[in-house]
Amino acid sequence: MLSAPDALDEDAVPERELVVHRRDELDRLRKTLSPPTPSDLTYLIGPTGTGKTMLSKLVVDILERKHNIRTVYINCWEHYERTAILYQAVSGLCDAAIQRGSTGRSELIDYLNDDPPQPQILILDEADQLADKRVLYDLHEAPVNVVLIANNEDDLFADIDDRVRSRLAVGQRIECGAYSTRELAEILEQRAAHALPSRRYTPQHLDWIADHADGDARVAIRTLRVANEQRDGNLDRPTIDEALPQARSELRQKSLHQLNDHQRAAYDVIADVDDTPLTTTEVAERYQKRVDNPRTTRQVRTYLRKLHQYNLLERHGTSNYRWSLIE
DNA sequence: ACTCCACTGGAACTCAAGGGTA
DNA sequence: TACCCTTGAGTTCCAGTGGAGT
């Protein structure tokens, strides 16, 4: 049994005392947003599993409790179209009766530009996934403090014209680098102490998990949870060895659940091939044989790019791509 | 160095769906 | 209930790019 199951949930916002090795970033973010400044931008940049989302949610949690601040969190995997982002922002920040689908973009922008009765913070997680980056400019013009979370600043600023880019370039940057093995082990130690107080594990077990998680706290925490479930807390090396691939597989499954049937079929085409990467044309042809009412090759190209962005596929080459699964 | 051609991704377009309104 | 508006998914078209062949 877990005494504090959230401590082993990689998506849950932890208590402040569970935040280790991100204290500086936490304090900087809190200072930056206390109070939130209208039209200010804050960037949280770092690889997957380095605590960016956790930091932003934790700070917002603290600020909401202590101050009269209105906040909205938007995950750009779920909502990536320009209008969808504006709709989510207006729904969360404005007391306006708006209807999805029948409120135009300009009207949504007008709502956002109204003087707010209280300070506002808008968090865009996975902001490099936005389909139309012009929404960043829409939001920057509004009286709201925007926090942009992304893996990499180059991707975030890709396909933005120079004029908009220079206006967005201002703002506080907080970098979250990949965790070292030592740091990850200490994070696990904290989590395990909360969730598994009977301590049926050793520091060596946590080191072993940390060493194999490639700096990704999500993988490390999920591995600890899987291993614990398998042996009900009695960790040993063989259990951890089994738990690691299972944890990675479970995280991958979470991403796969977000795909539609056609995207999934394209993914399965590549998954069915052992080791040999397929060209885009090969994927499209096999996919089109596999499904009823197949989409066009052009659409398959869009799917593959999306799967690549989801970190489900590896793309080989610079012009004529070949595709394989990420192991 | 040149040409050819497959591949890529942006832009413009169509279409179906969903909600508002008269 | 018919019409209008908006959106998002998908298609078509096409200019740019880079690899392969000569």
Side-chain angles (χ1 to χ4, degrees), chain A residues 7-214:
Chain A
L8 294 189
D9 179 350
E10 70 276 354
D11 290 330
V13 181
E15 297 297 320
R16 192 178 186 284
E17 64 266 20
L18 279 180
V19 178
V20 285
H21 301 299
R22 284 287 177 253
R23 289 292 174 93
D24 287 350
E25 290 84 353
L26 180 66
D27 291 340
R28 280 184 63 200
L29 184 58
R30 196 157 73 152
K31 273 184 195 156
T32 303
L33 298 177
S34 306
T37 314
S39 300
D40 257 16
L41 286 169
T42 307
Y43 296 89
L44 264 179
I45 306 289
T48 306
T50 53
K52 306 182 295 296
T53 302
M54 176 271 292
L55 275 187
S56 67
K57 286 183 172 176
L58 186 56
V59 167
V60 158
D61 203 36
I62 294 168
L63 292 177
E64 276 183 335
R65 266 187 280 135
K66 287 197 171 174
H67 309 284
N68 183 28
I69 291 172
R70 203 148 181 184
T71 64
V72 171
Y73 171 89
I74 302 172
N75 188 321
C76 301
W77 279 126
E78 269 177 82
H79 309 283
Y80 48 87
E81 295 294 342
R82 186 180 180 186
T83 310
I85 297 291
L86 292 172
Y87 175 78
Q88 293 295 323
V90 171
S91 301
L93 295 176
C94 309
D95 295 314
I98 54 164
Q99 202 50 249
R100 183 88 180 93
S102 57
T103 309
R105 184 183 296 143
S106 57
E107 198 180 341
L108 292 170
I109 293 172
D110 286 346
Y111 278 123
L112 281 176
N113 281 307
D114 280 348
D115 270 343
Q118 65 207 93
Q120 300 178 327
I121 298 173
L122 174 67
I123 299 169
L124 286 186
D125 202 354
E126 310 280 3
D128 35 5
Q129 303 306 320
L130 289 168
D132 187 343
K133 304 281 174 58
R134 281 176 296 182
V135 71
L136 298 180
Y137 189 73
D138 300 335
L139 296 170
H140 181 44
E141 294 287 287
V144 53
N145 194 324
V146 181
V147 179
L148 297 170
I149 304 177
N151 287 358
N152 145 352
E153 209 165 319
D154 291 340
D155 288 346
L156 180 59
F157 284 130
D159 10 291
I160 297 182
D161 74 60
D162 291 343
R163 189 181 59 87
V164 175
R165 186 187 306 230
S166 65
R167 298 196 67 166
L168 296 177
V170 295
Q172 184 77 234
R173 276 161 180 70
I174 298 173
E175 305 264 346
C176 294
Y179 292 115
S180 68
T181 300
R182 186 70 250 131
E183 288 171 339
L184 263 189
E186 285 166 14
I187 290 169
L188 290 177
E189 174 72 36
Q190 283 278 7
R191 301 278 180 139
H194 261 69
L196 315 168
S198 51
R199 286 189 65 91
R200 284 174 291 181
Y201 56 87
T202 69
Q204 287 74 31
H205 291 139
L206 303 184
D207 286 347
W208 182 248
I209 295 174
D211 194 31
H212 289 75
D214 299 328

